Amino acid sequence: MPAFRFLTAGESHGQTLGVTVEGVPAGLPLTADALQVDLARRQRGYGRGARQTIEHDRAEIVAGVRHGQTLGSPILLLVANRDWENWTRVMQVEPLDAEAAADLAALAADGNKKAAPVTRVRPGHADLAGALKYGFNDVRNVLERASARETAARVAAGGIARAFLHELGIETWSFTAEVGGVAVDPANTTRSREEADASPLRCPDPGAEERMIARIDEARSNGDTIGGVFEVVVHGLPIGLGSYVHWDRRLDAALAAAVMSINIVKGVEFGLGFEQTRRFGSAVHDVIEGRADGGRWVHRSNNAGGLTGGVTNGEPLVVRGAVKPISTLARPLPSADLISGEPVEKAHYERSDISVVPAAGVVAEAMVMLTLATFVVEKFGGDTMDDVRESVERYRERITRVPEAPVAGASRHGLVGTDEASSGGDD
Ligand SMILES: Cc1cc2nc3c(=O)[nH]c(=O)nc-3n(C[C@H](O)[C@H](O)[C@H](O)COP(=O)(O)O)c2cc1C
């Protein structure tokens, strides 16, 4: 079991979301204000729906921190759902007594959409499979947890990972790279990171952003939705995080799973990603220039996106995620009824976003940082932040040293170079 891990709880319209983060060393400065920054970034973005005007997310730190410093014990964060006050009866935790059940039934009979059980399953959602899997006849029991509202808890936890990694000189951010086929042109990324972050789509290319906004408006006026691509970039990672020795120790695999776990992501790529399949090797692989002053290894390009063999290679980490168009359409798709099994003209409609690429990028930052924190804690351990810092510094110093020249038959780590061993190809 990894030393650093987290688990979320909470329903979309329940009282609160919660997340427990385990394995944070003692002595990390942490405040609710610091966690607020990413929570607010997740809520912004052109194309988001009415829910974001109701929620003003704030994580309350209720355990694991004292006087602004982590204690080494599990940290518990709560993110209240403001909208809950409109759903108290529908989402009541305690059993409904006869009177409450009758009230709810009367509301539903009156056409109150919140009170009515949901049976018209929505295409592109977990509704149908989830209801059958867990034996529900009211799809609300599925959609409340499958909803991406849960990603607010991940982003809150990601804020802890951000604070932890920041202490070690590791910084993460993301931007919107594509919406509805309109892509950022690297030659036109004139905005600074701060300017991009403040722009409607968190996009560094102002011209592309305008055309992306037009695509979102087009979707909105057609009662439709639209997807895109975000890019997460991490600077300051040491060479050697992750390992090639086992499949489950590869950092690329763990990051791909973490980003893929975001409700709406349908593909993950690193660096050039799928584009590599269209080029010759000579136009793909990053030539190693050599060791620069200070012992830093330099590559001529970063097409691999900072990872080779599942291990960080000292270049910035570049992860991109494919965001599908939002499943819930203002002009709902046809579907079927869970109970009758018969087609229905319109799937259930639940208040919805039109496009969430910038928000998905912020969630991806959180998932990337939480994954990196897991690998950093595993590699550098430590009960206190000082322990971790010292361990990272010692390691960074070691990898900048010039290795001893090997002597055949007496190489330092017991690897004996024989003709057989050195002449084989890489299978
Ligand atoms: C930040 C964010 C906001 C989202 N908002 C909505 C939404 O308003 N309406 C919707 O239908 N899907 C929304 N989604 C996506 C759905 O939660 C997701 O598509 C659905 O749970 C099915 O999961 P899948 O897309 O991974 O198959 C959102 C996703 C994210 C990351």
Side-chain angles (χ1 to χ4, degrees):
M1 189 182 296
F4 182 97
R5 59 209 158 103
F6 73 101
L7 272 184
T8 71
E11 279 70 45
S12 180
H13 300 99
Q15 185 169 0
T16 188
L17 300 166
V19 57
T20 303
V21 185
E22 153 73 2
V24 181
L28 175 70
L30 194 68
T31 62
D33 283 350
L35 303 181
Q36 178 83 28
V37 176
D38 284 334
L39 285 169
R41 290 171 72 234
R42 177 191 164 281
Q43 289 200 267
R44 286 201 296 266
Y46 193 85
R48 298 223 63 189
R51 177 86 188 255
Q52 302 317 309
T53 58
I54 299 171
E55 303 296 346
H56 299 282
D57 290 336
R58 185 169 174 88
E60 193 189 348
I61 305 174
V62 293
V65 177
R66 181 163 181 255
H67 300 163
Q69 302 256 328
T70 57
L71 297 170
S73 44
I75 299 171
L76 176 59
L77 307 177
L78 299 180
V79 181
N81 289 321
R82 284 198 179 190
D83 204 10
W84 177 65
E85 57 192 41
N86 303 313
W87 293 80
T88 47
R89 183 54 60 79
V90 177
M91 292 305 294
Q92 183 175 312
V93 169
E94 293 297 316
L96 292 169
D97 60 25
E99 197 184 330
D103 279 357
L104 213 50
L107 281 172
D110 250 15
N112 182 312
K113 282 178 88 179
K114 286 182 184 134
V118 179
T119 59
R120 286 173 297 138
V121 287
R122 299 165 308 163
H125 278 285
D127 295 7
L128 175 61
L132 295 177
K133 175 178 167 67
Y134 289 102
F136 297 138
N137 61 4
D138 180 358
V139 171
R140 178 150 309 284
N141 289 336
V142 177
L143 67 86
E144 283 291 331
R145 179 62 184 167
S147 156
R149 175 76 192 138
E150 182 264 352
T151 61
R154 301 198 211 182
V155 169
I160 298 177
R162 185 187 293 286
F164 171 69
L165 296 171
H166 173 76
E167 293 288 314
L168 308 173
I170 301 166
E171 305 293 348
T172 302
W173 84 294
S174 72
F175 61 89
T176 297
E178 211 171 306
V179 170
V182 177
V184 160
D185 178 350
N188 293 333
T189 53
T190 51
R191 284 180 176 150
S192 68
R193 179 181 155 170
E194 288 70 28
E195 288 167 343
D197 234 26
S199 77
L201 286 176
R202 292 202 316 100
C203 180
D205 174 348
E209 184 178 60
E210 245 176 64
R211 294 191 297 281
M212 291 173 185
I213 287 174
R215 294 286 281 152
I216 295 172
D217 288 342
E218 187 186 337
R220 190 198 309 273
S221 58
N222 292 333
D224 216 325
T225 60
I226 199 156
V229 178
F230 58 75
E231 182 165 317
V232 179
V233 184
V234 185
H235 289 271
L237 288 165
I239 287 192
L241 201 61
S243 179
Y244 52 85
V245 302
H246 280 299
W247 67 270
D248 58 349
R249 293 186 58 196
R250 289 183 65 114
L251 182 58
D252 52 2
L255 286 167
V259 174
M260 196 73 192
S261 79
I262 300 167
N263 344 23
I264 211 161
V265 169
K266 293 296 141 193
V268 182
E269 59 179 12
F270 295 91
L272 266 189
F274 275 47
E275 172 60 23
Q276 293 175 73
T277 63
R278 299 173 201 118
R279 299 188 182 185
F280 289 115
S282 54
V284 166
H285 301 299
D286 303 311
V287 170
I288 301 168
E289 301 267 15
R291 190 169 38 226
D293 289 345
R296 197 177 80 79
W297 284 88
V298 180
H299 296 80
R300 192 173 293 168
S301 51
N302 186 23
N303 292 337
L307 285 160
T308 32
V311 188
T312 53
N313 64 14
E315 297 296 332
L317 174 66
V318 181
V319 194
R320 290 158 66 91
V323 175
K324 76 178 188 184
I326 291 279
S327 310
T328 308
L329 274 56
R331 197 173 286 167
L333 291 168
S335 189
D337 187 89
L338 175 69
I339 311 302
S340 71
E342 295 296 325
V344 292
E345 210 177 301
K346 287 179 179 179
H348 173 76
Y349 179 74
E350 192 102 336
R351 185 186 44 205
S352 190
D353 298 313
I354 295 166
S355 185
V356 290
V357 184
V362 175
V363 180
E365 286 179 33
M367 292 309 294
V368 165
M369 293 187 292
L370 289 158
T371 306
L372 292 174
T374 308
F375 277 66
V376 167
V377 167
E378 190 205 89
K379 181 166 172 56
F380 299 105
D383 295 316
T384 72
M385 279 310 294
D386 282 346
D387 291 345
V388 180
R389 250 183 245 109
E390 272 169 37
S391 174
V392 170
E393 273 162 32
R394 211 171 30 248
Y395 174 76
R396 284 194 196 267
E397 193 274 323
R398 170 168 81 69
I399 57 174
T400 58
R401 271 186 241 145
V402 179
E404 282 167 29
V407 177
S411 101
R412 206 149 52 88
H413 292 288
L415 251 187
V416 180
T418 63
D419 283 347
E420 287 78 22
S422 59
S423 63
D426 186 350
D427 199 16

